[in-house]
Amino acid sequence: MKKSRAEIIREYGPFENAPRVNGVTFDGQHVWFASGEKLHALNPENGEQVRTIDVASHAGTAFDGRYLYQIAEDQIHKVDPGTGNIVSTIPAPGNGGDSGLAWSDGSLWVGQHRGRKIYEIDPETGAIRRTIESNRIVTGVTWVDGELWHGTWEGDESDVRRVDPATGEVLERLEMPEGTGVSGLESDGKDRFYAGGGGSGKLRAIRRPR
């Protein structure tokens, strides 16, 4: 297993209108993050917020190329980013213990916090298609270039790790600096991850190793 220290490229926030940064996703232009009662769209180039959507946003956030998905307690809302309206809702597999959320290959991938699992689910029904076990508390989840990455945060220790999607074996770890944690995780599809900082109210860009 490869292990190294996470390289934080840039920090955003804290933000006056966002007490927390929970889930994080990227639509190709803006980073969306969940703060509890709103979704916020941020321009990662200048750090400015460009809009907000009023929607319960307690954990992970994902984007499928057209719609946003947002965990709210024990449900996952599908949100039209154009109108801000919820267009459908499915049950979350962790029954309220859900954390991260990602979209890949026609499935939603849902982290279960203390259950230490990642579920692949049907985005239309919420039916579980696959379960991946982890040996750490799972926070954010993301896919990039066929690689499955997830965040962990237990006590004062947090990391971003790449796991084998077939077995759950940890293949690589990026250890977060002391005093920083990962609450949500998303790749920009290139050379960086965006990581929510939970109650710190910060959003961080982390260099993706190659």
Side-chain angles (χ1 to χ4, degrees), residues 53-89:
I53 295 174
D54 290 330
V55 63
S57 55
H58 307 125
T61 312
F63 181 69
D64 69 358
R66 180 177 179 184
Y67 294 102
L68 295 162
Y69 295 82
Q70 178 59 54
I71 295 175
E73 300 291 355
D74 59 354
Q75 298 179 321
I76 300 174
H77 296 313
K78 184 178 181 179
V79 180
D80 184 332
T83 64
N85 294 331
I86 296 172
V87 297
S88 64
T89 297

Side-chain angles (χ1 to χ4, degrees), residues 117-173:
K117 295 181 175 65
I118 298 171
Y119 295 108
E120 177 188 4
I121 67 169
D122 185 319
E124 299 299 325
T125 66
I128 296 173
R129 293 172 170 168
R130 185 179 0 169
T131 303
I132 300 170
E133 303 281 347
S134 176
N135 61 2
R136 297 276 289 179
I137 284 178
V138 177
T139 57
V141 180
T142 190
W143 281 88
V144 57
D145 293 338
E147 298 176 349
L148 175 59
W149 292 78
H150 75 83
T152 76
W153 195 349
E154 290 191 37
D156 295 329
E157 297 183 358
S158 180
D159 64 26
V160 176
R161 52 182 57 191
R162 178 166 60 92
V163 300
D164 185 323
T167 65
E169 178 187 359
V170 181
L171 305 174
E172 184 169 4
R173 290 180 55 213

